[in-house]
Amino acid sequence: MCGIVGYVGKKNVRDVIIEGLHRLEYRGYDSAGIATTDGKTLVVKKAIGKISDLEKAIQGISFPGSIGMGHTRWATHGGVTEANAHPHTGCPWTKKLQVAVAHNGIIENYRHIKTLLEKKGHMFTSETDTEVIAHLIEEYANGSLFEAVRAALNDLEGAYAIVVISKEYPHELIAARNQSPLVLGVGKGEYYIGSDPSAFVTHTRDVIHVEDGEIVRITPEGYTISLLDNTPISRNVTHIDWDAKKIEKGGYDHYMKKEIDEQPHSTRDAMRGRIDIENGNARLRGIEDKLNELSILKRIIITACGTSWHAGLVGEYLIEELARIPVEVEYASEFRYRSPIIEPGTAVLVISQSGETADTLAALREAKRQGGLVLGICNVIGSTIARETHSGVYLHAGPEIGVASTKAFTSQITVLTLLSVLLARSRGMSQARGQQLLKALADIPEKMTYLLRPENEQAIKKIAEAHAERNHFLYLGRGINFPVALEGALKLKEISYIHAEGYPAAEMKHGPIALIDKKMPSVIIALKHDPLYPKIISNMEEILARGGDIIAVATEEDGEIEKKAKHVLRVPTVPIELSPLVTALPLQMLAYYAAVKRGCEIDQPRNLAKSVTVE
Ligand code: F6R
């Protein structure tokens, strides 16, 4: 998730852009850049690090003109380097059109476009997908910046919010949106563009939300909005009355809730460009160079901490079930110290949202020291773990700011599902089965959106509030939903400080059942189409017989569950292999609303840090 800001007006452009970038920094920062033009020159400056690093780098440089743009980057394609930072420009020698482009999103067909443009003599200087947009606009130069951008956009596949300025049209800023947010700010004789209103909220609160497939042309005289086929669009200006802090959180009170609600989007980003429905296979470019080794693997060790470890457990079920490769899942803190055995044919898969967790990093280094093939699944591009693994796959979940991990968990499971299909297809899983799973995976974001609808959320909130004063919870699940029970318990304890234990449902009778009484609710994942459903119902009977209360996570079709469970958290029906992608969400919300009710500090729970870089 990157941040974009653009400005057309009489204020000091540099100051407006830098202020906007500071306000967008919450969206992620590994590098940033600014571009302005007065028609004589196009000044583009970039720096690695935070916006304050960019400010230092541009000290003493003058930024001419009354039009400009800025970008704060959270890397998706290419490492964190000045060359990969935005804005991007086309060929330095061009006489046609000198543009600067800032982009948020992922261009899926950039490799194809890059190859075509290289054949035409374009020279690329970065590893990003964005740079192709600048070259493409240059290629389409035809006497109008707007028309050149419009032609270029028609060639792009993927998600984008872009802003374009050019030396040749110093009074024109073009912006466009497809699946990445973009907002137009309307001031008095001045206009702003931003990834969200926080980019310009101190200047104007009058906004127009640009929609997918729309292109905006801004000049000092005004703005026009049209569709990519040139159909004009008229849209009313709306006034926002949120404060800047709330806008950064997209109107939410807490990042955690924002990130819970982002899951349809982040899950889609995790699978974007990685599903090959026709062949019933997954395409994971980050590990493509290791496909031969992967096809003859004998064993996989997954190592991680916390929520990432729980995702690893889901991965164990998936890989063993689909690819029939034996998998072990180890806490990284244990793995690193217990002389693990890594024979030839073993791959070690490390999972980390931050890519900086000290124990996971040490486990990775131990695996490498022993000569193992080490693969990674990380969110933060260019993080230490991402750099040190032999190959890896990124989550593309955008920055996760709330300390309690939510969207990273579902993105990790999405990537693990893709990896399982890839491994399984090289071991004889049929194309039809691959297609069936991948189609169902592609439907998950929509199912999540449905699950997160307001009525369902209100129902979950009510249940959470009714139980917020309890001191102990038991979370139970079986099969692939056992790790989700662990994750649900972790969410509750870390943000609400309520004691919660996660167990495989059948294990309960070997000890935890002694705790059950009227005061301790049990949260049980009980999906009617799960072959283990009858067994889970028996586990429920055991709880009821001891006077315990049950909160069930059940599918919408299950009309019987209320006979056993006092409260029900409803989820849509999806194949059992993919069910953690829906069952995790009500448990995240249950924890969130219990913590809100208890007045807890949601985004920074006590004693916890987002990235545990110490042992
Ligand atoms: C829980 C949580 C932690 C992390 C753990 C690993 O909500 O966030 O348990 O999952 O510290 O962090 P990463 O994934 O960054 O290695």
Side-chain angles (χ1 to χ4, degrees), residues 120-323:
K120 292 188 170 187
H122 286 260
M123 206 183 81
F124 287 80
T125 53
S126 80
E127 303 154 307
T128 64
D129 51 342
T130 303
E131 196 186 347
V132 301
I133 307 175
H135 288 269
L136 205 53
I137 296 170
E138 180 190 318
E139 187 61 29
Y140 280 118
N142 60 357
S144 152
L145 177 63
F146 178 81
E147 283 304 324
V149 174
R150 201 170 72 83
L153 291 177
N154 277 310
D155 286 355
L156 300 181
E157 284 167 22
Y160 56 77
I162 61 158
V163 179
V164 186
I165 60 169
S166 76
K167 192 182 101 179
E168 290 72 14
Y169 301 89
H171 303 297
E172 199 170 337
L173 181 148
I174 312 290
R177 167 192 164 135
N178 189 41
Q179 298 175 51
S180 286
L182 195 68
V183 189
L184 170 66
V186 182
K188 292 206 173 70
E190 57 174 12
Y191 302 93
Y192 300 82
I193 199 92
S195 300
D196 64 51
S198 63
F200 48 74
V201 71
T202 48
H203 302 285
T204 180
R205 292 184 176 205
D206 289 333
V207 304
I208 292 177
H209 291 274
V210 182
E211 302 287 348
D212 284 348
E214 291 178 355
I215 176 162
V216 186
R217 177 173 178 264
I218 307 172
T219 66
E221 285 75 47
Y223 62 87
T224 57
I225 305 175
S226 50
L227 298 179
L228 284 189
D229 65 5
N230 248 341
T231 314
I233 296 285
S234 89
R235 172 116 358 102
N236 291 337
V237 172
T238 50
H239 185 77
I240 47 167
D241 51 11
W242 303 338
D243 64 16
K245 223 49 265 95
K246 196 149 178 173
I247 290 168
E248 282 172 14
K249 293 181 192 151
Y252 286 93
D253 292 330
H254 304 104
Y255 282 113
M256 181 184 175
K257 183 62 178 34
K258 176 171 180 278
E259 288 159 8
I260 289 174
D261 284 3
E262 272 170 14
Q263 287 175 106
H265 191 79
S266 51
T267 310
R268 189 172 285 123
D269 283 346
M271 60 180 96
R272 192 185 296 285
R274 293 171 167 174
I275 292 183
D276 176 358
I277 286 287
E278 203 180 319
N279 292 309
N281 209 342
R283 245 188 334 239
L284 295 171
R285 293 204 175 87
I287 55 169
E288 235 158 35
D289 58 331
K290 297 286 181 287
L291 286 185
N292 287 342
E293 285 159 87
L294 293 179
S295 66
I296 50 165
L297 277 185
K298 292 203 188 76
R299 176 173 165 244
I300 295 176
I301 301 173
I302 298 180
T303 185
C305 302
T307 292
S308 298
W309 184 78
H310 295 154
L313 288 176
V314 175
E316 176 183 23
Y317 279 86
L318 286 168
I319 297 171
E320 292 200 342
E321 172 77 23
L322 302 177

Side-chain angles (χ1 to χ4, degrees), residues 304-310 351-358 360 385 400 402-406 408 412 487 490-491 494 608-612:
C305 302
T307 292
S308 298
W309 184 78
H310 295 154
I351 306 179
S352 173
Q353 185 285 130
S354 63
E356 303 294 347
T357 303
T360 312
I385 292 175
E400 194 179 61
V403 164
S405 186
T406 51
Q412 287 163 344
E487 176 61 7
L490 177 65
K491 289 292 87 101
E494 69 183 327
L608 292 175
K610 184 66 188 158
S611 179
V612 187

